[in-house]
Amino acid sequence: MTKPAKTFENLPDEKRERVLAEATREFADHGFHQASVNRIVNRLGIAKGSLFKYFGNKEGLFEYLFGHAVAEFKKPLKAIRDNGTGDFFDRIEQTFLASGAFVDAHPNIYRIYLKMLFNERFPLRERFLGEIRKAHAKFLRQLIEDGKKRGDLPAGLDAADAVFILHSTMDRFLQGYAVPSLDHGVEPTENTLHDKARAMTDLFRHGLGGSREG
Amino acid sequence: MTKPAKTFENLPDEKRERVLAEATREFADHGFHQASVNRIVNRLGIAKGSLFKYFGNKEGLFEYLFGHAVAEFKKPLKAIRDNGTGDFFDRIEQTFLASGAFVDAHPNIYRIYLKMLFNERFPLRERFLGEIRKAHAKFLRQLIEDGKKRGDLPAGLDAADAVFILHSTMDRFLQGYAVPSLDHGVEPTENTLHDKARAMTDLFRHGLGGSREG
Amino acid sequence: MTKPAKTFENLPDEKRERVLAEATREFADHGFHQASVNRIVNRLGIAKGSLFKYFGNKEGLFEYLFGHAVAEFKKPLKAIRDNGTGDFFDRIEQTFLASGAFVDAHPNIYRIYLKMLFNERFPLRERFLGEIRKAHAKFLRQLIEDGKKRGDLPAGLDAADAVFILHSTMDRFLQGYAVPSLDHGVEPTENTLHDKARAMTDLFRHGLGGSREG
Amino acid sequence: MTKPAKTFENLPDEKRERVLAEATREFADHGFHQASVNRIVNRLGIAKGSLFKYFGNKEGLFEYLFGHAVAEFKKPLKAIRDNGTGDFFDRIEQTFLASGAFVDAHPNIYRIYLKMLFNERFPLRERFLGEIRKAHAKFLRQLIEDGKKRGDLPAGLDAADAVFILHSTMDRFLQGYAVPSLDHGVEPTENTLHDKARAMTDLFRHGLGGSREG
DNA sequence: TATGAATGAGCCTTCATTCAT
DNA sequence: CATGAATGAAGGCTCATTCAT
């Protein structure tokens, strides 16, 4: 898939990373079409031709950097699945926290993801979103199956609905976490990642009605 | 705010609506900056100058069409607040349904909203998002207060957290509804608006654990 | 030459003058091509079509208003020729003062003239400049002839050179009077119209060398 | 100030000069706003983007070419001040001739200057006119001071008035020289630069009355 | 291999003029 | 007769991409 010219692979580590970081920032700031190759190379102080030699075109550059990021995207999930502790709901809470940590570590990648989500013209969108979605669904389905076996969840729970609910909630939870301007017009009493993850988990555990003292 | 030339107001209804529909489609397809006034006027078969006479510039066109839509955006909420029936959770379900109906009726407006959500450079973003957010928060806070009085919700429930949870969930529910490509890799047994709204409401009522037979 | 539609001639005096004043201002501010018919009609609050009905096109409007002004342009000269007093140099001084008075009375007309002077593309430029030039030359030649006869000027004085010198000096004198930003980097001890006219006249009388104490 | 891209500096001399010549011609023909970048690049046979790479925008192009010319503008003055011969009036005559030589060498630059003089909207007008005016005033004031010391001019002569008179006369002299259509309706017996410079100098020396047989 | 100058299609916007009402 | 909506050529400018050096 994502194969840049060997010339890029042969670059000194530091420069290679600077190129990717600067490009990632540009795509995160402006989306794909509005991102400017000019700005990227100007900030980097390299020739425009070089970037095109490395990646063929703008799309190739994007494919390379986002493809790499998607792999990173999946790692937190694998870690929970393999090393999670506690019951189903504890693991969900851990997933929330791990996702938040990823967003903290790679804010620009997450910003690109969010732009891609609703920009149907974003190149490679179907492929990348499909990949991410599939990984999430697979992870969540397995968590649900385990939860049913362990008795944390009713055996009759519809897995598809549950996946939808869990994925949606997590996604939106991260959206609000990554883009604080989406806050809801109420100054929350607690605004930390942990508190919100806990609130969401409580919701899954008990519903709003059973929420113990908020 | 959002005042087009009388020229536009005086247009025959049919043409006026065609202009708005075509422009809305363009913004929904491409976002603001990538939207092309050229494409709009070519599709409409009118002169480029006409559109600029109507709205002054591209931003004026957008301000007009989206500003009007935001007003529509708020109507379903008002209707629920004034005419809702049943307990708190019933009203939440009605809200889901009303929002879905809005998205059905104005899919392109909702697509613009979604693009605006994560595109920090979208003109008038702060103003419009703030307006929408405020309307939602006000509505939900009142619903929660009423729910507490009526005993549907525990008195100790933290309103801010609840608003966050409700708003987030609804928003993401609509995102998936409006952009089916965000489906979750599982073919849901039921995919209708009503079924999903019901599933979400059940979540709020009982949590995942208590979900009656899925 | 300058024949607007009767519809314009039939307008109420006040409106007719407002139209001309506003148009004159626009041409004075922006020259011909950069003047905007849109701005004119907007300021006037009349329909664009009306202006075109009155004058055919932008050039017709200009022809009408400037043609009328040129007639005014010539009046001060005639008055000096017919009613001037004193010797040749006194009459030159009177001419300076009369010209300054015209510029005071019709500043925008003079600003148009100045723009036209060096803008080879100004419509009707050849005709209007020729008309003005001819009037000036005729007037100055007659003044010189009279001066020679009266003995104020040497009989051998070359009339052509003298006309050139007088016209040039007056023109530039007015330029500096009309466009103060052309001042010369020295704060003049006296800056009034009368003082400068007197200084210029002294120059013609005695040269710089004989200038009595400046 | 006036810094084009290295791209432009690195061009082959011949092309660089053709670009400047063609652009200067366009500004001289049409002034700033009415000048067309399209026409310039079409005549040059280069891509529109290239010109914008060189100079950023239309104003940058103008700033570069006129700024450079202004430097040239000042050189004749310096040469007179340092190497002038004869009395005050001889030096004035030399100045006239040097200015005329500049206009001969750079007619389009002088045409731009004249357009700028009365076009209040000309970009960079204040800066450039100020620069030119200052250089002239400084030069003339020094000439006058020297003339007074040497006894060519009366000690009581008002320097400010004299600068005004000299500058105005020279400026208008050049205007007529550069734009022959401003001729004065009389076919002058002699029309060469030298003759007119001599006539102007005689005026300063003796006034019109003492002018020796024209 | 790295460079960066050249390209030209496409962008948004303005404006004199026309003409149906 | 006045109106003002419609027109569309032309304007300045941007930008991904190519290619000779």
Side-chain angles (χ1 to χ4, degrees), chain D residues 78-128:
Chain D
K78 288 188 184 124
I80 307 280
R81 197 189 51 202
D82 298 344
N83 313 316
T85 60
D87 72 359
F88 171 80
F89 298 99
D90 294 330
R91 283 159 205 248
I92 288 294
E93 187 169 348
Q94 286 156 31
T95 308
F96 272 67
L97 292 174
S99 301
F102 177 87
V103 172
D104 278 337
H106 309 281
N108 283 334
I109 289 294
Y110 194 72
R111 289 171 65 212
I112 293 175
Y113 166 73
L114 290 176
K115 287 189 164 59
M116 181 186 272
L117 219 42
F118 302 114
N119 197 328
E120 300 88 343
R121 255 89 175 171
F122 215 116
L124 307 171
R125 178 179 182 267
E126 314 313 328
R127 183 177 116 201
F128 280 135

Side-chain angles (χ1 to χ4, degrees), chain A residues 120 133 183-184 204 208, chain B residues 115 133 167 183 204 208:
Chain A
E120 300 87 344
R133 211 188 311 133
D183 275 348
H184 302 80
F204 292 129
L208 279 178
Chain B
K115 288 189 163 59
R133 211 187 310 135
H167 187 196
D183 275 349
F204 293 128
L208 279 177

Side-chain angles (χ1 to χ4, degrees), chain C residues 72-104:
Chain C
E72 294 292 311
F73 223 25
K74 300 176 182 172
K75 285 186 191 165
L77 303 183
K78 288 186 184 130
I80 306 282
R81 198 188 52 203
D82 299 345
N83 312 316
T85 60
D87 71 359
F88 172 80
F89 298 99
D90 294 330
R91 282 159 207 247
I92 288 294
E93 187 168 348
Q94 287 155 30
T95 309
F96 271 68
L97 292 174
S99 302
F102 177 86
V103 172
D104 279 337

Side-chain angles (χ1 to χ4, degrees), chain A residues 54-73:
Chain A
Y54 299 154
F55 302 105
N57 56 23
K58 197 179 172 181
E59 184 170 322
L61 167 60
F62 176 74
E63 179 179 10
Y64 180 78
L65 73 83
F66 197 72
H68 274 237
V70 165
E72 293 293 312
F73 223 26

Side-chain angles (χ1 to χ4, degrees), chain A residues 124-137:
Chain A
L124 307 170
R125 177 178 182 270
E126 312 313 326
R127 184 177 113 202
F128 282 134
L129 287 192
E131 217 174 305
I132 295 166
R133 211 188 311 133
K134 224 169 97 183
H136 267 141

Side-chain angles (χ1 to χ4, degrees), chain C residues 141-174:
Chain C
R141 269 204 312 278
Q142 173 157 356
L143 228 54
I144 289 167
E145 291 313 314
D146 292 351
K148 284 181 176 177
K149 276 181 199 142
R150 228 187 279 107
D152 300 336
L153 294 173
L157 180 71
D158 184 275
D161 275 358
V163 165
F164 171 81
I165 286 172
L166 288 167
H167 188 194
S168 297
T169 315
M170 269 185 209
D171 218 1
R172 189 57 181 71
F173 165 79
L174 288 178

Side-chain angles (χ1 to χ4, degrees), chain C residues 7-72:
Chain C
T7 46
F8 180 69
E9 302 288 9
N10 292 340
L11 248 36
D13 282 14
E14 194 220 11
K15 180 169 181 186
R16 213 175 52 231
E17 275 155 29
R18 230 166 60 77
V19 169
L20 291 179
E22 217 61 73
T24 304
R25 168 148 85 97
E26 180 71 13
F27 285 121
D29 283 350
H30 298 93
F32 183 83
H33 287 106
Q34 218 53 27
S36 158
V37 175
N38 269 316
R39 274 192 298 256
I40 295 174
V41 298
N42 285 344
R43 283 202 302 257
L44 286 170
I46 68 171
K48 214 189 298 197
S50 298
L51 212 60
F52 281 88
K53 271 284 193 300
Y54 299 154
F55 302 104
N57 56 23
K58 196 180 174 182
E59 185 171 322
L61 167 60
F62 177 73
E63 179 178 10
Y64 180 77
L65 71 84
F66 197 72
H68 274 237
V70 165
E72 294 292 311

Side-chain angles (χ1 to χ4, degrees), chain D residues 20-34:
Chain D
L20 289 179
E22 216 61 74
T24 305
R25 168 150 84 97
E26 179 71 13
F27 285 121
D29 282 352
H30 298 92
F32 183 84
H33 287 108
Q34 216 54 26

